[in-house]
């Protein structure tokens, strides 16, 4: 029996054809994947099936109800978890759940049995604001909110982006419980291990369905996109013995809670240093101290020769920084963004003009110089944001989950830019939840419960811990955590 039937759906936004004659069907209780690069049309498809967007042409039914004529019936039967979660950051855990229950004309008590297995894991934090939760806990709350009205179909648009590998595994274990209850699940994800958890997948590219089949068949058929060849890298920068980051017995306490609990390490010039850990392990707090955004409770540290306790304003001028959310201005052009950030770093007009041409040539963006950044695909924005963050040739660039939600082929191109920067002597300090990216680093530290639990090259860590790959190394260490990932 078919739970979802899509027939010839098309959707355009001005000249952009988001979906072109898309057709597929999903069986009742099936776990079905919608996969493809950024801009493929996945989110438009989700929004159409959830009755949040009308198609230009074509028809679709969800649980036998027409997406245009029977919107109200569909909305009672579907749960939707968009990529950035739909939580209200200023409401508590309990208030978020009550709000979504009310929205669907039910109560938390009425729907409690259907969410108990998931919600019970965060219920003890019910009075905490959603904005103060870790990624893994937000994920559990968002899923509980999507399930509180007991839907028969669940739509998940990249639900695990920005969440650590252990929390991702737990999330998919929760989905397998839902499958046992015959809930139909349609999910999009950039993670290949999650793609393989689906029974079938539809691969979308530029709004068209390129293939529908079992995951292993689609991943093999389009391996140039999903499994591009690895990147050869050797650290060839000069002055490798020069330390760019030096940290000794660093502690950051919030009351009695030690978010960062006595960590020490050094990072050399031109090194690609991976800074890993589960959500709540203390990575972000440590990065905030190293980038001058926060001062330590105790311990010492230097970044590009400046003291993190007293010279944090100097540090900010001599580093680059790129977060997962980027810092580009969407309503400025590519060239205007470059000029703005270069000006902030005090570069001269002549230097800015010369380097802008160099960067645009390297990125092959020359003909897009005057395009608004908001009109660019995610992968392009990502490469531009990185190029802007190192435009002033900083001693070190901090990358906080820079490739979240991007397909493997685009991530590979991004890492080529990282290798190029490292070869020019720029130190790269990177956090990531993609364990294939961890393999690209020269050295890695893994934080657990505020401490550095292991450090070394990927090969050293795999050998020492007797694990086949970095995914297993991370999971092995992260599962030893004793404090809640909150």
């Amino acid at each position: 029996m078919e739970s979802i039937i899509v027939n010839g759906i098309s959707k355009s936004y001005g000249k952009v054809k988001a979906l072109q004659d898309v057709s597929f069907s999903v069986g009742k209780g099936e776990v079905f994947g919608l996969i493809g690069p950024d801009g493929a049309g996945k989110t438009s498809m989700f929004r159409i099936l959830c009755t949040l967007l009308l198609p230009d042409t074509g028809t679709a039914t969800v649980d036998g109800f027409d997406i245009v004529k029977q919107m109200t019936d569909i909305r009672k039967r579907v749960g939707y978890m968009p990529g950035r979660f739909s939580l209200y950051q200023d409401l508590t855990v309990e208030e978020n759940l009550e709000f979504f229950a009310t929205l669907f004309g039910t109560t938390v008590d009425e729907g409690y049995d259907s969410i108990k297995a998931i919600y019970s894991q965060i219920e003890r934090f019910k009075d905490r604001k959603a904005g103060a939760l870790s990624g893994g806990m937000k994920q559990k709350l968002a899923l509980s909110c999507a399930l509180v009205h007991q839907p028969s179909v669940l739509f998940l648009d990249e639900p695990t982006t920005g969440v650590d590998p252990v929390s991702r595994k737990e999330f998919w274990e929760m989905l397998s419980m839902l499958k046992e209850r015959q809930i139909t699940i349609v999910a999009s994800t950039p993670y290949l291990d999650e793609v393989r958890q689906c029974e079938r997948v539809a691969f979308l590219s530029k709004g068209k369905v390129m293939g529908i089949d079992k995951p292993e068949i689609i991943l093999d058929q389009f391996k140039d996109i999903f499994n591009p060849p690895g990147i050869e890298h050797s650290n060839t920068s000069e002055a490798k013995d020069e330390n760019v980051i030096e940290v000794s017995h660093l502690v950051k306490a919030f009351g009695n809670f030690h978010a960062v609990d006595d960590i020490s390490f050094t990072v050399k010039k031109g090194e690609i240093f991976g800074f890993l850990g589960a959500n709540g392990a203390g990575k972000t707090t440590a990065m905030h101290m190293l980038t001058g955004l926060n001062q330590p409770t105790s311990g010492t540290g230097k970044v590009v020769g400046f003291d993190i306790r007293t010279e944090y304003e100097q540090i900010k001028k001599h580093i680059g920084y790129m977060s997962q959310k980027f810092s580009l201005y969407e309503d400025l052009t590519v060239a205007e963004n470059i000029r703005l950030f270069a000006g902030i770093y005090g570069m001269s007009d002549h230097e800015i003009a010369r380097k802008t041409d160099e960067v645009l040539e390297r990125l092959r963006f020359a003909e897009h110089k005057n395009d608004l950044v908001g009109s660019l695909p995610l992968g392009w924005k990502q490469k531009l944001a990185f190029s802007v963050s190192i435009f002033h040739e900083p001693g070190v660039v901090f990358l906080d989950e820079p490739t979240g939600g991007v397909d493997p082929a685009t991530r590979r191109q991004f890492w080529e830019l990282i290798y190029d920067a490292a070869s020019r002597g720029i130190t790269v300090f990177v956090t990531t939840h993609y364990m294939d990216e961890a393999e690209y680093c020269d050295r890695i530290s893994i934080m657990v419960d505020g401490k550095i639990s292991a450090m070394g090259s990927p090969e050293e860590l795999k050998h020492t811990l007797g694990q086949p790959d970095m995914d297993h190394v991370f999971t092995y260490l992260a599962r030893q955590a004793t404090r809640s990932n909150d």
Side-chain angles (χ1 to χ4, degrees):
M1 181 183 166
E2 305 297 348
S3 178
I4 299 167
I5 299 171
V6 175
N7 265 319
I9 291 280
S10 293
K11 180 69 185 177
S12 295
Y13 306 101
K15 293 178 183 175
V16 178
K17 292 180 179 177
L19 294 167
Q20 300 183 60
D21 196 25
V22 172
S23 299
F24 62 88
S25 61
V26 183
K28 183 166 176 57
E30 185 177 14
V31 180
F32 187 86
L34 266 185
I35 63 173
D38 182 62
K42 303 184 298 292
T43 298
S44 293
M45 194 73 249
F46 278 115
R47 292 176 64 79
I48 286 170
L49 292 176
C50 291
T51 74
L52 300 173
L53 193 64
L54 288 171
D56 297 337
T57 58
T59 60
T61 58
V62 176
D63 257 6
F65 295 95
D66 185 276
I67 58 164
V68 177
K69 297 172 186 162
Q70 297 166 301
M71 284 185 184
T72 310
D73 295 290
I74 289 176
R75 287 176 184 177
K76 290 175 187 169
R77 286 166 171 78
V78 304
Y80 178 45
M81 197 169 151
R84 289 277 172 256
F85 305 143
S86 47
L87 303 172
Y88 290 88
Q89 306 293 311
D90 293 332
L91 296 184
T92 65
V93 167
E94 189 173 44
E95 286 167 344
N96 265 284
L97 196 59
E98 285 171 351
F99 172 77
F100 280 94
T102 306
L103 203 62
F104 289 107
T106 185
T107 64
V108 174
D109 287 344
E110 211 174 317
Y112 189 79
D113 284 346
S114 65
I115 62 168
K116 182 179 178 182
I118 299 160
Y119 185 60
S120 61
Q121 298 176 44
I122 55 170
E123 196 166 9
R124 67 185 185 280
F125 304 109
K126 65 182 182 182
D127 296 324
R128 182 174 295 182
K129 287 191 174 178
L133 299 176
S134 72
M137 292 174 71
K138 281 181 181 172
Q139 191 184 52
K140 287 168 186 164
L141 176 57
L143 186 56
S144 299
C145 291
L147 290 169
V148 70
H149 61 297
Q150 303 175 61
S152 56
V153 182
L154 186 59
F155 293 101
L156 306 170
D157 190 0
E158 296 192 2
T160 58
T161 296
V163 179
D164 68 81
V166 173
S167 296
R168 290 199 294 107
K169 287 186 176 77
E170 288 175 356
F171 185 83
W172 278 84
E173 284 163 12
M174 291 187 272
L175 294 188
S176 65
M177 290 187 321
L178 300 178
K179 178 177 165 52
E180 286 169 19
R181 285 165 31 197
Q182 281 293 293
I183 294 176
T184 304
I185 298 168
V186 182
S188 69
T189 175
Y191 296 97
L192 299 190
D193 57 326
E194 294 182 359
V195 171
R196 293 187 182 100
Q197 301 254 26
C198 300
E199 291 163 79
R200 288 186 308 136
V201 295
F203 171 45
L204 283 178
S205 182
K206 296 179 180 174
K208 294 179 180 176
V209 175
M210 309 306 288
I212 301 175
D213 216 316
K214 291 178 181 175
E216 58 271 24
I217 292 171
I218 294 294
L219 292 179
D220 181 61
Q221 192 177 347
F222 300 99
K223 56 178 176 281
D224 55 326
I225 292 166
F226 294 107
N227 191 21
I231 313 172
E232 291 301 316
H233 167 60
S234 57
N235 192 335
T236 55
S237 69
E238 295 173 17
K240 254 181 77 173
D241 292 336
E242 178 190 330
N243 286 335
V244 176
I245 299 174
E246 296 175 341
V247 170
S248 181
H249 301 292
L250 207 57
V251 173
K252 182 64 181 180
F254 299 95
N256 295 324
F257 177 70
H258 284 200
V260 174
D261 192 6
D262 192 15
I263 64 171
S264 301
F265 62 91
T266 60
V267 183
K268 299 190 182 303
K269 178 172 178 161
E271 186 173 22
I272 300 173
F273 187 78
F275 199 58
L276 309 186
N279 295 103
K283 303 187 306 296
T284 301
T285 305
M287 276 185 87
H288 282 173
M289 288 188 280
L290 295 177
T291 53
L293 297 173
N294 220 323
Q295 280 67 62
T297 305
S298 63
T300 60
K302 282 191 171 183
V303 175
V304 287
F306 297 104
D307 191 308
I308 63 172
R309 301 179 72 93
T310 59
E311 298 176 296
Y312 39 87
E313 291 304 325
Q314 285 297 317
I315 288 173
K316 290 175 190 174
K317 292 176 188 171
H318 290 84
I319 63 170
Y321 181 77
M322 177 184 164
S323 71
Q324 187 180 350
K325 294 179 178 65
F326 311 151
S327 51
L328 301 171
Y329 289 88
E330 302 261 309
D331 52 355
L332 295 181
T333 66
V334 169
E336 287 168 342
N337 265 280
I338 294 173
R339 194 179 310 124
L340 172 69
F341 285 98
I344 290 170
Y345 285 113
M347 295 175 69
S348 70
D349 288 347
H350 173 71
E351 203 180 0
I352 292 170
R354 179 183 60 79
K355 284 209 69 181
T356 297
D357 290 339
E358 277 178 26
V359 167
L360 292 175
E361 201 59 45
R362 187 183 304 142
L363 294 175
R364 300 191 183 100
F365 276 17
E367 67 267 40
H368 300 285
K369 181 178 182 176
N370 298 315
D371 290 4
L372 289 178
V373 162
S375 70
L376 301 177
L378 179 63
W380 288 30
K381 288 180 190 173
Q382 181 194 58
K383 286 181 264 192
L384 178 61
F386 177 67
S387 299
V388 164
S389 72
I390 60 167
F391 194 78
H392 58 302
E393 296 289 323
V396 56
V397 61
F398 290 88
L399 307 176
D400 192 2
E401 292 175 36
T403 56
V406 180
D407 64 270
T410 307
R411 289 197 291 115
R412 186 189 187 282
Q413 292 167 10
F414 186 82
W415 273 84
E416 286 172 346
L417 293 178
I418 289 178
Y419 283 169
D420 180 61
S423 72
R424 303 203 308 269
I426 296 175
T427 300
V428 180
F429 189 100
V430 58
T431 72
T432 179
H433 288 318
Y434 290 99
M435 291 302 106
D436 60 326
E437 293 187 349
E439 303 266 6
Y440 293 158
C441 298
D442 297 317
R443 272 192 314 142
I444 291 163
S445 87
I446 299 179
M447 282 188 80
V448 177
D449 291 348
K451 299 178 184 291
I452 290 177
S453 183
M455 191 183 303
S457 71
E459 289 308 315
E460 286 168 352
L461 293 178
K462 286 183 281 190
H463 178 72
T464 306
L465 298 171
Q467 301 294 330
D469 53 39
M470 282 309 302
D471 189 55
H472 283 79
V473 166
F474 184 95
T475 303
Y476 173 77
L477 292 171
R479 292 220 190 266
Q480 294 174 15
T482 55
R483 73 188 192 196
S484 306
N485 76 333
D486 59 344

